[in-house]
Amino acid sequence: MSNSRKIRVIGGGLAGPEAALTAASLGCEVELYEMRREVDGKPVLTPAHQTTDFGELVCSNSLKSESPNTAPWLLKQEMRRAGSRLIALADETAVPAGHALAVDRVEFSRRIAEAIAAEPRITVIRDEVKTLDFGDDALTIVASGPLTSDALSTEIAKLTGAEHLAFYDSISPIVDAETIDMDRVYFAARWDKGTADYINCPMTREEYEVFLNALVTAEAAESKEWEKADYFEGCLPIEILAKRGPDTLRFGPMKPVGLRDPRTGKTPWAVVQLRKENLRADSYNLVGFQNHLKYGEQAKVLRLIPGLEDAKFLRYGQIHRNTYICSPRVLDERLRMKERSDLFFAGQISGVEGYTESIASGLLAGLYAATVAHGEEPVPAPRQTALGSLVNYITQADPKHFQPANITFDLLVPLEEETRRKVRDKKERHRMVCDRALAAFDDWWATQNRNPNKDSFDWRNSVRAGV
């Protein structure tokens, strides 16, 4: 094991630490680079980050659904079976969030830092990486995230031979729990599914119309270098959604369906949901309320929400750039650069979208790089699995229309036509897809490195044993 090639991981967000911890657990020496650091006692940050912590969650604190037989649940189940360190830490730092896996973001970051510090094979280097030509035989995993520095972005663009793409993402506001008027809100989970962990701010039709008018007329923050922001469709600012039609928000983040007010027995015209930020429940984020308004405008508009009239906002929404490569042109199914076999990509820069998806790509990149580091060729995750389907999308999509994606059933291999005709119930079909995926995952995992050579490196057992 000591003769394996060193692995260099660039990025301390979600994919990077997952890749580093995975590769280190497989006996590899790892250097983990993070450009956020302290210089002369002052933090050097990105436009979106507020700390230098590993795994800082800059948007919501949710890793999506834990409802069985949903696509996000399936992806996390596969990752749990693969021994994902960050998913395990997310489970340990979970806060009540109905049927979703949400974490105490501060505790989550702290646990990641502890795990990295406890791993003797990981060396942390707080510095900006500006080149990918290191002049050694180490393998490199680029997990620099959506806010990759200009210098490294330029370097990656030169290597890929393709123009970088970019979309713009937004951050939701966070409110001080003590400033919420609890007489005007109620606790409930949609359709009473899971525990009633969400605070719901109900709106009448009149209140909604006043809010909507204020939202669409509010002044946006200055765009500076981006005149025409190319937003990611899965995370649009609420003011953009509102301008698409008067009912767009009511069918989106303010959808009241399944959220009956227990005090009146009626379903409100619209609802704003608040989700716990931490176990202390002293702060809540406004679910789906990412925006790009001036802070003063946000204060005026958001205080029109029932229960938030006197709210203190701990953080306002903001916009930041998300940068990613055109993976279908650049990467193979092992997340390895087609033109440079020592270079892997993971996280949002590789074209996945979302916390869980970023961790998943980091897990795979760590596994694949470690396997190569030990002189073997990695076997990609099967297409039938959520892991394999996610990678299949980012490496096989139409490069002309490539856009980052979350894990959905649309990415998974559909059931055979005959089965779809026989099984009409959508939930049952999803269950069948999940069962097939987990079976395929187990078969893949159980057969890794069945090399008759007694010196062959068994990374499967090493990960599960936490070697």
Side-chain angles (χ1 to χ4, degrees):
M1 290 187 190
S2 60
N3 295 325
S4 66
R5 296 165 70 182
K6 181 178 69 178
I7 295 177
R8 183 182 296 107
V9 179
I10 303 171
L14 294 173
E18 178 71 21
L21 288 165
T22 299
S25 74
L26 301 175
C28 297
E29 295 296 323
V30 178
E31 290 181 349
L32 175 59
Y33 287 78
E34 171 52 51
M35 71 176 183
R36 289 174 295 136
R37 60 199 185 277
E38 295 282 340
V39 176
D40 297 328
K42 296 181 179 180
V44 177
L45 305 174
T46 72
H49 289 89
Q50 295 183 325
T51 76
T52 60
D53 298 340
F54 291 117
E56 179 184 345
L57 306 183
V58 299
C59 296
S60 84
N61 64 330
S62 173
L63 277 68
K64 299 181 184 175
S65 179
E66 281 284 72
S67 295
N69 302 319
T70 60
W73 169 86
L74 173 62
L75 183 61
K76 288 193 287 289
Q77 288 298 95
E78 292 178 6
M79 294 164 70
R80 288 178 177 119
R81 295 186 183 200
S84 166
R85 295 293 298 279
L86 264 64
I87 291 298
L89 294 176
D91 289 335
E92 293 173 10
T93 59
V95 298
H99 59 88
L101 173 58
V103 302
D104 181 324
R105 68 177 77 213
V106 175
E107 183 65 12
F108 180 57
S109 290
R110 190 184 71 79
R111 296 285 187 95
I112 294 174
E114 284 185 349
I116 291 172
E119 175 50 72
R121 295 188 183 98
I122 297 179
T123 301
V124 175
I125 301 173
R126 293 279 185 172
D127 199 6
E128 180 182 349
V129 175
K130 298 181 179 180
T131 179
L132 294 175
D133 185 9
F134 292 93
D136 55 25
D137 70 342
L139 300 170
T140 299
I141 299 174
V142 179
S144 49
L147 294 170
T148 296
S149 70
D150 291 342
L152 186 55
S153 292
T154 299
E155 178 77 357
I156 293 170
K158 289 179 182 178
L159 285 174
T160 61
E163 184 176 353
H164 255 84
L165 302 177
F167 64 88
Y168 293 84
D169 203 357
S170 301
I171 296 173
S172 295
I174 295 176
V175 63
D176 185 338
E178 291 187 355
T179 64
I180 300 171
D181 184 351
M182 301 305 293
D183 291 333
R184 301 209 61 191
V185 302
Y186 61 95
F187 282 91
R190 200 177 300 278
W191 300 116
D192 296 322
K193 192 174 183 180
T195 55
D197 300 315
Y198 289 79
I199 291 178
N200 296 270
C201 305
M203 284 188 180
T204 64
R205 181 170 186 169
E206 293 74 19
E207 289 170 330
Y208 175 78
E209 290 175 351
V210 170
F211 170 81
L212 189 66
N213 181 66
L215 180 61
V216 298
T217 58
E219 188 175 356
E222 293 183 10
S223 294
K224 297 181 180 179
E225 75 272 16
W226 54 86
E227 291 295 329
K228 296 180 181 179
D230 183 16
Y231 294 107
F232 173 54
E233 279 291 322
C235 196
L236 288 171
I238 55 172
E239 67 271 19
I240 300 297
L241 286 172
K243 291 175 181 178
R244 291 185 172 183
D247 290 320
T248 306
L249 289 175
R250 292 185 60 245
F251 288 93
M254 297 178 71
K255 182 170 64 176
V257 177
L259 290 171
R260 179 181 55 83
D261 189 337
R263 302 167 302 179
T264 64
K266 297 179 180 179
T267 299
W269 183 255
V271 166
V272 177
Q273 285 199 305
L274 311 181
R275 180 175 54 223
K276 289 180 183 177
E277 270 292 304
N278 52 44
L279 289 171
R280 298 186 303 275
D282 58 8
S283 60
Y284 283 76
N285 69 66
L286 280 65
V287 179
F289 261 56
Q290 57 273 359
N291 70 87
H292 185 41
L293 302 177
K294 288 187 173 181
Y295 289 173
E297 295 289 275
Q298 290 187 50
K300 294 177 184 177
V301 173
L302 298 178
R303 288 190 178 115
L304 292 174
I305 298 171
L308 303 186
E309 292 87 349
D310 298 312
K312 175 184 178 182
F313 291 96
L314 304 177
R315 184 185 73 186
Y316 287 109
Q318 60 175 282
I319 193 171
H320 62 91
R321 187 188 70 193
N322 274 6
T323 302
Y324 60 95
I325 61 174
C326 187
S327 292
R329 294 191 186 279
V330 176
L331 302 182
D332 65 16
E333 60 186 348
R334 295 167 181 82
L335 297 175
R336 185 168 51 189
M337 190 173 168
K338 296 175 182 178
E339 302 300 325
R340 190 169 149 180
S341 61
D342 66 321
L343 198 57
F344 296 77
F345 282 81
Q348 286 188 231
I349 196 169
S350 71
V352 300
E353 169 62 23
Y355 295 151
T356 307
E357 292 85 347
S358 293
I359 298 170
S361 65
L363 169 67
L364 290 176
L367 290 174
Y368 297 157
T371 304
V372 172
H374 288 288
E376 300 182 13
E377 185 65 10
V379 178
R383 175 70 177 87
Q384 291 86 354
T385 64
L387 288 165
S389 293
L390 188 64
V391 173
N392 178 77
Y393 170 77
I394 66 171
T395 59
Q396 301 299 320
D398 181 356
K400 293 181 179 179
H401 305 287
F402 180 60
Q403 187 179 44
N406 303 111
I407 187 65
T408 66
F409 277 109
D410 289 341
L411 301 188
L412 288 152
V413 179
L415 297 171
E416 295 181 354
E417 181 62 32
E418 182 178 352
T419 302
R420 294 201 301 272
R421 286 198 302 267
K422 291 180 179 179
V423 182
R424 296 291 184 180
D425 183 73
K426 187 176 182 180
K427 290 184 178 180
E428 177 61 16
R429 291 201 301 269
H430 284 176
R431 184 194 65 76
M432 295 174 69
V433 170
C434 289
D435 286 349
R436 182 188 62 188
L438 291 174
F441 173 87
D442 287 342
D443 287 344
W444 168 66
W445 194 259
T447 57
Q448 294 309 296
N449 279 8
R450 293 294 185 181
N451 192 316
N453 181 348
K454 66 179 180 179
D455 295 325
S456 177
F457 182 67
D458 188 348
W459 54 259
R460 173 177 58 87
N461 287 331
S462 295
V463 170
R464 283 188 167 172
V467 173

